[in-house]
Amino acid sequence: MSTQAATADALPQKTPFIQSRLGSFLAVVPLSIWVVNHLWDNLAAFQGAQAWQSAVTEYKHPYSMIFTFIIVLLPLLIHTAWGVARLFSFRPNLGAYPNYGNLKYILQRAAALGVLGFIGAHMWLAFLQPRLVHGAAEPFAAIAYEMRWHTPTIVVYVLGILGTAYHLANGLQGFAMGWGLLASERSMRRFEPWSIVLFLVLLAMGWGVLFAMYQAGGTQAVIDARNAIVQTQGDMH
């Protein structure tokens, strides 16, 4: 990251030290760990509907869903509030300093807004709405069908995963800088390849899940299962 971008990132001095460290910490632990684990679980889509539903939507203990929801939602809300406060103090200066580090800084802020919208929509459509409205977790057939036949869905997920992978990977570098783990230009340059590798790994995992669901959505078994789900829901209403 460039000196100009690093300086711009450090401008909002009004943020209390503890609040800043807490917001930064929650971006990496537990949120980043949960994101990696969530992507890994979703890769079960390559093994079929039952494997995916067992890995993603089923919980071994009756309280595990509530526990998972709390340790994910609470840090997410805190990190979001922290990030939104930083956005209000953000002043882009790419025109004055058109370099790689400053471009990364601008993209990080833009990705944050996109990821916020993506995660909000994802949590409502894939987690809350099926349980609150239909009384059950979203079945594999429903989401796989949407991935294959509803173009806006696949586009949103492609861009959402791209933004999430970038925001997390680049944010890890910012976290290391903020906590003093990277204290010089040289150390930041040496860390850069690791940040890029993490970005590519997360992107490959996420887009791999989309590919598996897109493929499954075209099979007759999924189409029939999805139609049966729609029919059942119609009968309930």
Side-chain angles (χ1 to χ4, degrees):
M1 182 176 292
S2 70
T3 304
Q4 293 85 3
T7 302
D9 204 23
L11 283 177
Q13 296 297 330
K14 295 181 180 180
T15 304
F17 179 82
I18 297 299
Q19 180 181 337
S20 178
R21 289 296 179 268
L22 179 62
S24 178
F25 178 81
L26 291 175
V28 176
V29 182
L31 285 180
S32 62
I33 296 176
W34 181 83
V35 168
V36 173
N37 183 70
H38 187 59
L39 290 175
W40 179 263
D41 288 342
N42 272 272
L43 287 172
F46 282 100
Q47 302 172 26
Q50 186 55 50
W52 181 86
Q53 290 178 185
S54 177
V56 177
T57 66
E58 296 178 8
Y59 294 87
K60 309 303 180 184
H61 191 276
Y63 295 105
S64 59
M65 182 174 69
I66 298 175
F67 179 72
T68 301
F69 196 62
I70 291 175
I71 66 173
V72 172
L73 183 60
L74 184 58
L76 179 61
L77 291 175
I78 295 174
H79 178 64
T80 299
W82 173 73
V84 169
R86 286 164 63 87
L87 280 173
F88 280 111
S89 63
F90 167 59
R91 296 293 184 273
N93 60 354
L94 186 61
Y97 303 102
N99 52 52
Y100 172 68
N102 209 15
L103 176 61
K104 285 178 58 182
Y105 176 80
I106 301 295
L107 289 176
Q108 182 72 353
R109 297 299 176 264
L113 292 175
V115 170
L116 178 60
F118 170 67
I119 291 179
H122 178 62
M123 290 189 66
W124 168 249
L125 295 173
F127 185 82
L128 292 174
Q129 186 186 52
R131 290 169 170 83
L132 296 178
V133 177
H134 304 299
E138 184 177 30
F140 179 80
I143 190 171
Y145 183 91
E146 293 296 315
M147 289 293 179
R148 181 66 180 244
W149 303 106
H150 189 242
T151 302
T153 296
I154 189 69
V155 170
V156 167
Y157 271 89
V158 165
L159 296 178
I161 290 172
L162 175 64
T164 300
Y166 178 81
H167 191 70
L168 195 157
N170 192 56
L172 183 61
Q173 187 176 34
F175 167 83
M177 290 170 57
W179 283 78
L181 303 177
L182 300 175
S184 67
E185 287 282 351
R186 182 180 180 185
S187 62
M188 285 184 277
R189 286 196 300 270
R190 296 177 72 174
F191 186 82
E192 181 79 9
W194 294 105
S195 179
I196 294 173
V197 167
L198 177 59
F199 166 69
L200 293 176
V201 168
L202 292 173
L203 194 62
M205 291 174 68
W207 283 359
V209 172
L210 298 186
F211 175 74
M213 289 185 170
Y214 181 85
Q215 279 195 316
T219 63
Q220 191 60 45
V222 164
I223 294 174
D224 292 343
R226 185 262 184 184
N227 291 336
I229 293 169
V230 172
Q231 181 63 44
T232 301
Q233 292 174 349
D235 294 340
M236 291 174 60
H237 293 294

